[in-house]
Amino acid sequence: MTSRLVLVLGDLFIPDRAIDIPAKFKKLLTPNKIGQILCLGNLTSPSVYHFLRGLAPDLQLVKGDFDIPLSIPPPPPPTNNSGYDAPQSPASASSYPIPTALSKVVTHGSLRIGFTHGHTIIPPADPDSLLIAARQMDVDVLCWGGTSRFEAYELEGKFFVNPGSATGAASWTGDDLDYDPEASGEGQKDGKVRQEFAGVDGDTGEQKGLCPSFVLMDVQGDVLVLYVYQLRKDAEGKEAVAVEKVSFRKGGSG
């Protein structure tokens, strides 16, 4: 029986802003447990593309703002007259299909779920603009990315989900800068500290700034149960996966 679970993730930025998906996440993401993957763009690594292809039978992609072709170009033609042609690198091992669709819609149960990267939403992550996009797509649930921060909320009967970045990579949208006049150390410049370097609040012990995250959706009829996975650090810098659950019911409260 095909799994009902839908994995939603995006803004991976591998290898330019992150080395890989965290190992603690990879241990959780194993084949035969996920039925579909919705990737919200900026999947910039062929190896990660093939990793996701091995997780689920259905991988759906939309275009991000930094998707680039990573295929190895063919070698130049020979400069001598020997007629020798250099061997070509296999495309399957070095490339992946670059998505062209800015948004897509899938249906699970009685819910229409739309997903987009979010760089076409103006202003970025604005609730009213997202609501307009959800109405234009005629969806009950809208997943978007582009901010590298997890969000989930209900607005006018629709459910909005941002899974954040599965690697914790910064999006450089402007929201990744946080003013802290007493901060010091890595990432500091003129009193501004990139939040992915902000670490842990010394008073509360809670995670500050960006942390890697993804979500799993389980849809049964008109009910969506959202499982949020975040890789958090405690006051001692130890990493652990925290899981939270949020529910949404079409036409009513979850």
Side-chain angles (χ1 to χ4, degrees), residues 15-238:
D16 48 336
R17 302 183 193 177
I19 297 175
D20 199 359
I21 296 174
K24 291 182 183 293
F25 279 176
K26 280 194 168 183
K27 288 183 179 180
L28 299 173
L29 299 174
T30 56
N32 304 318
K33 292 185 178 180
I34 298 169
Q36 185 180 61
I37 299 175
L38 309 182
C39 184
L40 307 185
N42 294 333
L43 174 61
T44 53
S45 167
S47 63
V48 177
Y49 168 79
H50 292 294
F51 169 73
L52 296 178
R53 286 287 298 171
L55 287 182
D58 185 10
L59 172 59
Q60 297 288 332
L61 307 174
V62 291
K63 182 177 177 60
D65 52 348
F66 283 95
D67 289 311
I68 55 174
L70 295 181
S71 59
I72 299 175
T79 56
N80 54 37
N81 297 323
S82 65
Y84 170 74
D85 291 329
Q88 302 283 329
S89 299
S92 60
S94 60
S95 64
Y96 63 97
I98 302 300
T100 57
L102 292 175
S103 63
K104 289 184 178 180
V105 177
V106 296
T107 301
H108 289 274
S110 64
L111 297 180
R112 284 173 53 84
I113 302 172
F115 59 105
T116 183
H117 174 256
H119 65 282
T120 58
I121 304 295
I122 305 297
D126 176 68
D128 290 334
S129 298
L130 288 166
L131 181 60
I132 292 173
R135 288 172 173 168
Q136 290 175 337
M137 297 170 68
D138 189 23
V139 295
D140 306 295
V141 180
L142 179 62
C143 302
W144 90 100
T147 67
S148 295
R149 296 180 183 280
F150 165 74
E151 286 187 74
Y153 59 88
E154 191 173 343
L155 180 63
E156 295 193 18
K158 298 185 184 295
F159 193 44
F160 297 87
V161 178
N162 187 327
S165 166
T167 60
S171 64
W172 309 126
T173 59
D175 295 332
D176 300 325
L177 297 175
D178 190 32
Y179 181 72
D180 186 353
E182 298 180 358
S184 61
E186 188 177 16
Q188 182 177 359
K189 182 179 180 181
D190 298 330
K192 289 188 175 182
V193 180
R194 291 219 309 270
Q195 289 191 344
E196 68 270 28
F197 293 131
V200 178
D201 190 299
D203 296 326
T204 65
E206 296 180 351
Q207 179 82 33
K208 293 170 58 181
L210 302 179
C211 67
S213 60
F214 67 87
V215 302
L216 285 174
M217 298 190 299
D218 185 4
V219 180
Q220 301 184 48
D222 60 356
V223 176
L224 183 153
V225 179
L226 185 74
Y227 297 92
V228 185
Y229 292 78
Q230 293 181 308
L231 187 62
R232 298 177 179 174
K233 290 183 180 180
D234 61 18
E236 297 178 353
K238 296 181 180 179

